[in-house]
Structures are given as C-alpha cells and as structure tokens.
Amino acid sequence: MLKIAIYGKGGIGKSTTASNLAAAFSKTGLTVLQIGCDPKADSTKNLLSGKKIDSVLDVIKSGKNYSIEDLVHIGYNGVLCVEAGGPTPGQGCAGRGIITAFDKLEELGVYEKYKPDIVLYDVLGDVVCGGFAMPIRGGYADNVFIVTSGEMMSLYAATNIVTAIENFAKRGYAKFSGLILNKRNIENELEVAQKAAKEMNGEIICVIERDNLIQVSENQGKTVVELFPESNISKVYENLARKVLEVCNG
Ligand code: ADP
Ligand code: MG
C-alpha cells in the first residue's frame, strides 16, 4: 500500500490535483482511497458528482449508529472517498478532526475491507501543527508532494511544510518527494519555482498549466480526467500519476 500526502497552501489546487490524480490512478486499475484532511471537507466532491459527504467528525458528532459505509463513499471509477472534517469554526483545534478520523478508519477496519493500493491524503498545509502534521508522522504517509504556484505565499507555505517534514524525518517518517507546480501564470513562474525547489532540496516533478476545463468540470462536480479524458490537461494528470508512482517506488 502506497501512502501519499498532498500538501499545500489553502486554495492552491490540492484537491483538484488529488482528485484528478486519484481518477488517473483508478483508470490504471489501482484502488485509491482519498482522505480529505481540510476542515472545508470538499476534497472529494469532484469524484462524487459534486456531492459533499458527511465528514467523519460530522458522523461521529451526530451521535447516531454508523458503519463503514457512512464514512467511506464510492466515487468515480471506484475511488474510495473520505472527509476527515473539522470543528465548528472558532471552536477547538482544526487538526483534531484528522487525528480522530484516522483512528476511526483503523478501528472500523477500512483498510482490511477495501485493501486500497494507494492512500492519498489531501492536507491543508498553511500551518503544519498538531493534526495537520499527522499524515507526516505516525507512519501515515511515506511520500509527501507539495502543490505550489510560483507565488510567494504559496512557496512560503511549501518551505514550512518541508521544514516540518525534515523535523520529523529524523525519526524515520515521511519524506519530501517533490513539488507539483500548479501555475497561476505569474511572471517567470517556472524559474521562480525552480529556484525555490532547489532551496528546498527538491525537484518540480510536474508542471500543471491553468486550464479552463478544470472549472467547466468542477461546475458539473467532476474531474477533468472523468469529463474530458482526451484533453491535454487530463494527460498531464495521467503523466503525474506515472511520475508519482516512479518517485514513490524508486
Ligand atoms: P485547495 O484544495 O488547495 O484548497 P482547490 O483544488 O479547491 O484548492 O482549487 C481552488 C480553485 O482553483 C478551484 O476552484 C479549482 O478549480 C481552481 N484550480 C486549481 N487548479 C487549477 C488549474 N490548473 N487551472 C485552473 N483552475 C485551477
Ligand atoms: Mg482542498
């Protein structure tokens, strides 16, 4: 089982990247479990025809009886979708939901039941504290990829995430496996990002151009890989899937 985390600043394109990546993996016959680790709980909606599912925290908080099927939803091409969820804004630690959700998935035997080939954690990386650091440590993820643009704030967040990974790496946890450049079309974007990657001792493993088909698909609750399988942008995600496997297995 490959355990991969996709980190990055809020709004940078993590969920878009993660869900298209999950869709691309599924087309090669792999079983993917995508776990949204953002209090927004919208990581998997484009794999579920736009449907927002109840997060693990929502389900637990409801106080009702529940089973695995209430937490794990089957999306496009069999991709397994989970949202960890977060607390009510202003109340409690936003990362707490992640810890609770991870415990619950194990307790219910989700991994034994579905036997995923790949677990994809989609994690908000603005602040890598408490719960948000969970996927990096505790043996959850083995490889961390960071989505960034060439914008300052996004590269700043990326640098912080790399620092957090390095701090934990001493104890044998996840390793930084590369940047995914999701372009915003700022000036000299590739050069700026390459320079930053070098400073992080990493590489840009994939460049994703801005593409209007992403919005068109999103409006229909889909990934581009599902809705426009023959488009250039879908090919980019399929190449990313190959590259990620190469890096993780290499
Ligand atoms: P995050 O999960 O990091 O918060 P999202 O994946 O939700 O970010 O993306 C934020 C917005 O940016 C979405 O509306 C998405 O459609 C858009 N977006 C992301 N990547 C691209 C891209 N390569 N081209 C065009 N729009 C994009
Ligand atoms: Mg997201």
Side-chain angles (χ1 to χ4, degrees), residues 8-17 38 40 42 45-46 122 124 147 182-184 208-212 214-215 218 233 237:
K9 186 186 172 302
I12 204 62
K14 296 178 296 297
S15 301
T16 304
T17 305
D38 184 322
K40 267 195 290 172
D42 63 351
K45 70 179 193 316
N46 292 333
D122 171 6
L124 179 65
V147 179
N182 195 31
K183 284 175 84 176
R184 280 289 171 92
I208 305 172
E209 299 293 334
R210 284 202 78 74
D211 196 314
N212 189 43
I214 291 181
Q215 267 78 47
E218 190 170 78
I233 186 75
Y237 289 117

Side-chain angles (χ1 to χ4, degrees), residues 39-40 57-58 61 85-94:
K40 267 195 290 172
L57 272 200
D58 289 336
K61 273 192 288 194
T88 314
Q91 283 178 25
C93 163

Side-chain angles (χ1 to χ4, degrees), residues 118-131:
I118 300 180
V119 182
L120 210 51
Y121 298 98
D122 171 6
V123 200
L124 179 65
D126 288 282
V127 186
V128 195
C129 69

Side-chain angles (χ1 to χ4, degrees), residues 9 70 75 100 115 122 133 154 158:
K9 186 186 172 302
D70 297 306
T100 309
K115 299 184 177 60
D122 171 6
S154 159

